[in-house]
């Protein structure tokens, strides 16, 4: 919806709410994984809060985002199950792939 600004005649204000909602509605569903006897669910990366999306630019940051997204209790369960760094890498890479992203791609790019 487009409106003309009352405070600044000749200036048009364009509402992007409908387009934003369309993009959000088009996000894939959450992904449930099972590994080493632990089941966990991750949302689509593009559905994460912006503060977390900014951190997913590198694999190391993706690990931190995984921890924050899964929560302390689930991470503790994963540690107890014997997860290793390479296992987290497999999870992070699959999560990125399913989000339509390549490792190292910034989530805050114009294509986001």
């Amino acid at each position: 919806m487009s409106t003309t600004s009352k405070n600044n005649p000749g200036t048009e204000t364009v509402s992007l709410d409908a387009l934003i909602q369309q993009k959000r509605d088009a996000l894939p569903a959450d992904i449930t994984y099972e590994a080493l006897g632990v089941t966990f669910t991750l949302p689509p990366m593009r559905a994460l809060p912006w503060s977390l999306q900014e951190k997913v630019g590198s694999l190391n940051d993706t690990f931190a985002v995984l921890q924050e997204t899964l929560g302390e209790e689930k991470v503790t369960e994963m540690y107890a199950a014997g997860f290793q760094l390479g296992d987290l890498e497999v999870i992070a890479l699959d999560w990125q792939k399913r989000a339509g992203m390549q490792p190292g791609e910034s989530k805050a790019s114009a294509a986001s």
Side-chain angles (χ1 to χ4, degrees):
M1 177 176 177
S2 176
T3 60
T4 302
S5 173
K6 293 177 184 168
N7 296 335
N8 194 356
T11 301
E12 184 178 19
T13 301
V14 178
S15 174
L16 298 174
D17 292 344
L19 292 173
I20 289 170
Q21 191 59 52
Q22 281 179 334
K23 187 148 185 138
R24 288 179 180 186
D25 291 345
L27 289 170
D30 291 357
I31 304 161
T32 298
Y33 291 97
E34 188 281 321
L36 304 176
V38 177
T39 301
F40 53 96
T41 302
L42 294 170
M45 282 186 174
R46 294 180 199 266
L48 293 172
W50 190 2
S51 61
L52 288 178
Q53 287 184 32
E54 290 181 314
K55 295 179 182 178
V56 188
S58 76
L59 199 54
N60 287 337
D61 290 337
T62 302
F63 296 154
V65 172
L66 270 171
Q67 286 184 303
E68 193 163 336
T69 302
L70 291 171
E72 187 176 331
E73 184 177 322
K74 186 57 70 174
V75 170
T76 300
E77 181 182 352
M78 293 169 89
Y79 284 142
F83 276 75
Q84 299 176 355
L85 187 59
D87 306 329
L88 296 178
E89 182 176 3
V90 168
I91 295 164
L93 290 173
D94 189 77
W95 192 26
Q96 285 179 328
K97 180 183 83 174
R98 291 177 188 275
M101 318 216 356
Q102 298 299 318
E105 178 184 348
S106 171
K107 306 318 163 263
S109 70
S112 295

